[in-house]
């Protein structure tokens, strides 16, 4: 199966490390009463909203399209994973009635409207995936009130807000409010790859309110690995047209007048590409790392981007398909079963792994399934255990995952128009930030 996609380079993708608004959503009823089933309850069997004796109804919401490109293929991943569940006989005696993934175009108002329709009209037990920047507090507050589980890429407030809420990230909460722990996986793989002690690191970050915690997290990760962070300023404008010259000059002389060993980007895609290209033109001889440029198909479709980023390392929170292995083989097989012409896109991968985690959550919640019993089972102590070798995503515990990232990452290197597998997905240990000198 080909592994290409439409280019996805918008602000929503860069939000993985830049969103610092996590934690603004109100807490839901969570793991409290085990007898309630949410005010949206109701089904043909009378047991709970979206649950009958024979099936569980699930719906998805994601930006299949948007001004910044959306996540093409986001309607395929969860569908493929749930289809395999049904082929294997369902979960606790029930098959999954999947209503498909609706397009919110990354618009918060539309996301809320679709969430209300899923609950009130479609009687969905859960929303999987819930993907993208449209998942604002208005939606997460509503879903928490109605006790509606959702799973997606954990960088929005509703996936980072309290131990008893119903919003979950397959990667935990990538940017917890306040930065209380150090996600060592942001730095450990590249430090190991470069094999240098006392690595001199410059971190380029945007001048925005959302970038502060992201910069703090990245700096702390490198300090935890014994690196010397010689430059870390949130000063790059987020406007459309930026003169990168002064930022290039700052980085080039950041190591006591000389070049750093590694330049790391906590930055929007356009700034990452622009400054990487500018540093190369200025004669920079070190290495580059970013967290956003793994987008299958991007390099083939954008030769200028490929040229600018050539040689850069990219850290991901899931296993890129280029590594292969049993987890990737199973995903490709599942996708082909529902759509033989589908390609493995970023949207497919994110939604497939979201659904894979939710399958294990349903299994853990047991046969007597209600929204409240689900919340009690998962927020009362649940561990997702990935299958396959190498794993597609990392092990993750809840409720800890509401306030901490899964400290797992893989590493690829851009080589021309390809992604070269460098370090397969590996999980590390989150470290209290007070235990890392200079990080807090």
């Amino acid at each position: 199966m080909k592994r290409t996609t439409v280019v996805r380079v918008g602000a929503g993708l860069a939000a993985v490390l830049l969103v610092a608004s996590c934690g603004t959503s109100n807490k839901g009823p969570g793991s409290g009463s085990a007898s309630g089933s949410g005010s949206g309850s109701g089904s043909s069997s009378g047991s709970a909203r979206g649950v009958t004796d024979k099936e569980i109804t699930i719906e998805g919401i994601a930006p299949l399209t948007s001004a910044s490109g959306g996540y093409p293929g986001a309607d395929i991943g969860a569908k493929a994973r749930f289809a395999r569940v049904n082929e294997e006989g369902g979960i606790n005696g029930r098959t999954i009635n999947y209503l498909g993934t609706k397009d919110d175009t990354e618009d918060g108002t539309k996301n809320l409207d679709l969430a209300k329709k899923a609950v009130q009209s479609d009687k969905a037990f859960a929303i999987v995936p819930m993907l993208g920047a449209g998942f604002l507090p208005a939606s997460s507050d509503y879903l928490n009130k109605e006790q509606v589980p959702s799973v997606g890429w954990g960088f929005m407030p509703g996936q980072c807000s309290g131990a008893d809420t119903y919003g979950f990230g397959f990667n935990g909460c990538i940017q917890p409010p306040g930065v209380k722990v150090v996600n060592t996986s942001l730095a450990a793989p590249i430090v190991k790859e470069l094999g240098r002690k006392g690595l001199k690191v410059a971190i380029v970050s945007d001048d925005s309110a959302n970038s502060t915690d992201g910069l703090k997290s990245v700096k702390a990760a490198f300090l935890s690995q014994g690196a010397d962070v010689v430059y870390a300023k949130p000063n790059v404008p987020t406007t459309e047209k930026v003169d990168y010259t002064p930022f290039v000059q700052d980085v080039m002389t950041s190591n006591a007048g000389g070049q750093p060993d590694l330049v790391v980007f906590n930055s929007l895609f356009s700034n990452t590409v622009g400054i990487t290209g500018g540093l190369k033109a200025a004669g920079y001889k070190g290495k580059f790392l970013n967290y956003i440029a793994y987008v299958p198909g991007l390099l083939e479709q954008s030769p200028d981007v490929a040229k600018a980023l050539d040689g850069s390392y990219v850290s991901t929170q899931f296993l890129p398909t280029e590594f292969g292995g049993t987890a990737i083989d199973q995903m490709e097989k599942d996708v082909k079963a529902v759509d033989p012409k589908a390609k493995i896109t970023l949207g497919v991968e994110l939604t497939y792994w979201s659904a894979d985690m939710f399958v294990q959550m349903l299994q853990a919640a047991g046969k007597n399934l209600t929204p409240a019993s689900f919340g009690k089972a998962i927020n009362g102590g649940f561990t997702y255990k990935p299958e396959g070798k190498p794993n597609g995503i990392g092990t993750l515990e809840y409720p800890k995952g509401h306030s901490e990232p899964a400290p797992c990452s893989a590493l690829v290197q851009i080589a021309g128009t390809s992604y070269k597998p460098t370090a397969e997905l590996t999980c590390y240990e989150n470290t209290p930030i007070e235990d890392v000198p200079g990080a807090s």
Side-chain angles (χ1 to χ4, degrees):
M1 186 177 299
K2 294 182 179 179
R3 298 165 179 167
T4 57
T5 185
V6 177
V7 176
R8 161 71 183 168
V9 297
L13 183 60
V16 174
L17 285 175
L18 298 176
V19 172
S21 58
C22 295
T24 61
S25 186
N26 294 330
K27 288 186 177 182
S31 57
S33 170
S35 60
S37 57
S39 59
S41 302
S43 73
S44 59
S45 69
S47 57
R49 179 202 66 246
V51 180
T52 71
D53 292 339
K54 295 183 178 180
E55 65 182 21
I56 305 167
T57 296
I58 301 173
E59 193 164 337
I61 300 175
L64 305 177
T65 61
S66 75
S68 59
Y71 291 85
D75 55 333
I76 298 294
K79 178 182 178 181
R81 183 63 186 91
F82 293 145
R84 174 154 65 94
V85 166
N86 291 343
E87 280 289 318
E88 294 172 346
I91 299 173
N92 297 319
R94 299 182 178 97
T95 58
I96 291 178
N97 173 30
Y98 192 60
L99 303 182
T101 301
K102 307 304 189 291
D103 186 6
D104 72 353
T105 67
E106 220 150 34
D107 178 89
T109 299
K110 191 170 183 179
N111 183 283
L112 178 59
D113 290 342
L114 289 171
K116 288 182 176 179
K117 181 180 181 297
V119 175
Q120 297 170 8
S121 299
D122 301 339
K123 304 299 182 186
F125 173 78
I127 297 178
V128 183
M130 176 61 87
L131 178 65
F135 186 41
L136 298 177
S139 294
S140 54
D141 286 349
Y142 169 75
L143 295 178
N144 282 330
K145 179 182 177 183
E146 298 297 320
Q147 297 180 290
V148 182
S150 67
V151 183
W153 199 5
F155 65 86
M156 295 304 291
Q159 294 149 340
C160 301
S161 52
D164 60 351
T165 52
Y166 280 81
F168 304 90
F170 71 75
N171 57 330
C173 169
I174 189 61
Q175 186 52 69
V179 191
K180 298 176 182 178
V181 298
V182 178
N183 182 358
T184 54
S185 74
L186 295 174
I190 189 66
V191 171
K192 182 178 180 180
E193 172 67 18
L194 298 182
R196 300 183 198 174
K197 293 184 178 180
L199 201 67
K200 306 294 184 180
V201 178
I203 305 172
V204 175
S205 190
D206 293 330
D207 179 13
S208 70
N210 289 336
S211 69
T212 304
D213 280 353
L215 176 58
K216 186 176 181 180
S217 292
V218 175
K219 179 180 178 180
F222 278 93
L223 291 175
S224 75
Q225 300 303 301
D228 181 7
V229 178
V230 297
Y231 179 93
K233 298 180 181 180
N235 59 354
V236 183
T238 57
T239 53
E240 289 187 8
K241 295 183 179 180
V242 180
D243 178 7
Y244 295 121
T245 304
F247 310 106
V248 169
Q249 292 173 343
D250 280 353
V251 172
M252 288 289 288
T253 57
S254 60
N255 183 20
Q259 299 182 16
D261 301 313
L262 174 69
V263 179
V264 181
F265 291 89
N266 171 58
S267 191
L268 296 174
F269 191 88
S270 57
N271 289 342
T272 299
V273 174
I275 295 178
T276 300
L279 285 166
K280 286 183 175 182
Y284 177 68
K285 302 300 183 183
K287 304 297 183 181
F288 300 98
L289 173 73
N290 69 71
Y291 302 95
I292 59 175
Y294 178 72
V295 186
L298 167 65
L299 303 176
E300 298 97 317
Q301 296 178 27
S302 305
D304 290 344
V305 170
K307 182 178 180 180
L309 296 180
D310 186 46
S312 295
Y313 291 92
V314 186
S315 174
T316 69
Q317 297 152 34
F318 53 90
L319 184 70
T321 57
E322 285 79 4
F323 284 89
T326 57
I328 296 300
D329 289 346
Q330 184 66 64
M331 176 176 64
E332 292 186 333
K333 180 180 178 181
D334 292 347
V335 169
K336 186 175 182 180
V338 298
D339 187 347
K341 296 182 180 180
K343 299 173 182 178
I344 301 298
T345 67
L346 180 63
V348 168
E349 292 185 71
L350 296 175
T351 56
Y352 182 90
W353 296 121
S354 296
D356 193 66
M357 177 171 288
F358 190 66
V359 167
Q360 288 194 24
M361 288 177 165
L362 287 175
Q363 291 168 339
K367 187 171 180 63
N368 297 321
L369 181 65
T370 69
S373 69
F374 180 95
K376 185 176 182 179
I378 306 308
N379 288 327
F382 164 79
T383 300
Y384 168 78
K385 298 179 180 179
E387 299 175 351
K389 185 173 178 60
N391 296 333
I393 55 176
T395 300
L396 180 63
E397 297 178 9
Y398 274 100
K400 186 165 66 174
H402 287 300
S403 57
E404 293 187 15
C408 309
S409 66
L411 197 66
V412 294
Q413 186 176 24
I414 295 175
T417 59
S418 302
Y419 295 100
K420 175 186 174 183
T422 303
E424 67 183 39
L425 192 83
T426 303
C427 293
Y428 301 83
E429 291 289 336
N430 286 327
T431 303
I433 196 165
E434 60 266 22
D435 291 348
V436 180
S440 57

